[in-house]
Amino acid sequence: MKTFDVTAGMPAPAPGFAVRSWFIDGVSPQAPRPFVQGLPASPQEFLAQLPPSGFSCWVRGTAGLVGIGRALRLRAAGPDRFDALSAAWQEIAAAAEVDNEVGLPGSGLIGFAALAFSAHSATASVIDIPRFVMGRRDGRVWLTAVTTPGDPEEAGGLALSHTPLAPPRAPRTRPGHVTPEDYVEIVARAVERLRAEAGTGAGAEAGADGAPGTPAGAGASTGGGTSAGAGPAAGEPLGKVVLARDEVVETDEEIDVRAVLGRLNSAYPTCWTFDVAGLVGATPELLIGVTDGQVTSRVLAGTYQVQGDPAEEIAAARAQLGSAKDSSEHAFAIDSLAASLSTVSEDLHVDAEPHLLQLATVIHLASDAHGTLRRGENGCPTALEVARAVHPTAAVGGFPKDRALEVIEELEGADRGRFAGPVGWVDERGNGQFGIALRCGQLEAPNRIRLFAGAGIMPDSDPASELAETEAKLAPMKRALGVEH
């Protein structure tokens, strides 16, 4: 696999990829199937026919994309990582010769991407261009082959056969850089600072009718649409900060990522399950999706911890998530997203009020947004460019953004890497999807993975409750790794 560092405007390679996409679910002899035992009938069967390593994926339910092998990796770091990767990707896409009879988003040339949360992270942001891509959307299945001059015939190098999944054995955990005790302490410090900067000893003030007030400086959502406003005023006090902690899971043998992904996909079919550059997880939060000039997004902020059966706890969740703390936290996130998306969208619409998103371990306040991308001299912005415009939202950073990021670096004192950064894919036409890398972990060795989870801290947050929330958010990955919980 070739790797090119494109940081700080370094020239991008121009390999002149030849790309071909074709359907493989028909009867035509021109639709060769790479599966030795035929098309798999379930996600578990499909995973068992993938190689144990060397693949990427972005899947929701039974639809999505899986990349096999790597033709090229682009990497960048620092504050210009988005711009550097975007410029390199567009140069490669422009030079590629694409024969695409499929025509669906995700066909043709695509790259799987995972970007670091912070501009100061030591972890590289990457785009991986796979050698082969299998896609499924709208009930159709296709294969994409990416070759360069001198490569073997496109489909001849791909033959998938069954290799049994190997669930992790003897998993054990240990504290990460931010221990549970550390986390309680830094949350307490954050609460103290939030209260001091707000000039009160309580949480967000309620309006005259008792409803939570709108965060100062942010635009209010009304009537299904939103007005982004001018953003936070200079010197505005800290209103919310998201603090994270980490935990390490080790096993006796190499972790079979396929088995972990299978468990996540089965337990959370409405989440986006991913594996990009060793970043493995299942996120419930779509940062942005771009399809033919249209943009969508889903914001989650405000969390209820499920104690037993989530279906039986909806009333309790509704009562808690309607409180001033959770409603204000969600309003920060929505207004942050609206302000960012309004820079690239002409007619942004946001849900008039949030809905409850029910998952196995938590119930979230969720709001959806959609709009039309603003067209410039070079057409509409790509999915990666839109992700750059909105990252990080208040759901994973805080509000105001720059002030919250300063506090995160000061209090956490650890590198989040790609946790809470954008993860997903982009194709040569600019379509793509990027989730926020949540409910995830980064492989650090064949038998070791570092998990992350965070919580939004408000002036009336309780440190012990926020610690419990992070434990609930770590649970999906720990269960997928076989850790008793």
Side-chain angles (χ1 to χ4, degrees), residues 219-228 334-335 338 347-353 370:
S221 299
T222 58
T226 188
S227 172
I334 278 293
D335 290 325
D347 57 350
L348 183 65
H349 294 272
V350 180
D351 288 348
E353 61 180 57
H370 63 91

Side-chain angles (χ1 to χ4, degrees), residues 270 298-304 310-323 326-327 330 351 353-359 362-368:
T270 61
R298 167 168 288 179
V299 174
L300 307 181
T303 303
Y304 170 86
E312 296 179 356
E313 299 179 37
I314 291 296
R318 185 174 289 109
Q320 177 195 301
L321 296 174
S323 69
D326 289 282
S327 295
H330 192 79
D351 288 348
E353 61 180 57
H355 61 276
L356 298 181
L357 179 65
Q358 177 182 314
L359 301 173
V362 293
I363 298 173
H364 289 295
L365 274 181
S367 292
D368 294 326

Side-chain angles (χ1 to χ4, degrees), residues 154-229:
E154 53 194 20
L158 182 65
L160 301 176
S161 58
H162 187 274
T163 304
L165 303 181
R169 296 179 57 186
R172 52 199 176 273
T173 65
R174 59 178 172 85
H177 298 304
V178 180
T179 68
E181 295 77 16
D182 293 336
Y183 192 74
V184 169
E185 179 183 343
I186 65 174
V187 169
R189 291 169 59 190
V191 168
E192 183 179 355
R193 183 169 305 182
L194 284 158
R195 292 178 177 178
E197 293 199 15
T200 70
E205 295 183 357
D209 58 356
T214 300
S221 299
T222 58
T226 188
S227 172

Side-chain angles (χ1 to χ4, degrees), residues 170-314:
R172 52 199 176 273
T173 65
R174 59 178 172 85
H177 298 304
V178 180
T179 68
E181 295 77 16
D182 293 336
Y183 192 74
V184 169
E185 179 183 343
I186 65 174
V187 169
R189 291 169 59 190
V191 168
E192 183 179 355
R193 183 169 305 182
L194 284 158
R195 292 178 177 178
E197 293 199 15
T200 70
E205 295 183 357
D209 58 356
T214 300
S221 299
T222 58
T226 188
S227 172
E236 185 175 354
L238 184 67
K240 172 190 174 181
V241 62
V242 180
L243 296 176
R245 68 181 183 95
D246 58 325
E247 191 169 320
V248 177
V249 177
E250 294 180 312
T251 60
D252 286 343
E253 299 176 354
E254 184 172 339
I255 296 171
D256 187 344
V257 174
R258 302 173 306 159
V260 176
L261 293 169
R263 288 178 172 179
L264 290 170
N265 177 265
S266 177
Y268 305 96
T270 61
C271 292
W272 290 267
T273 303
F274 58 86
D275 174 15
V276 181
L279 184 69
V280 180
T283 181
E285 189 157 1
L286 182 66
L287 179 65
I288 61 97
V290 171
T291 303
D292 299 331
Q294 300 296 308
V295 61
T296 58
S297 181
R298 167 168 288 179
V299 174
L300 307 181
T303 303
Y304 170 86
Q305 299 164 48
V306 172
Q307 305 302 314
D309 183 351
E312 296 179 356
E313 299 179 37
I314 291 296

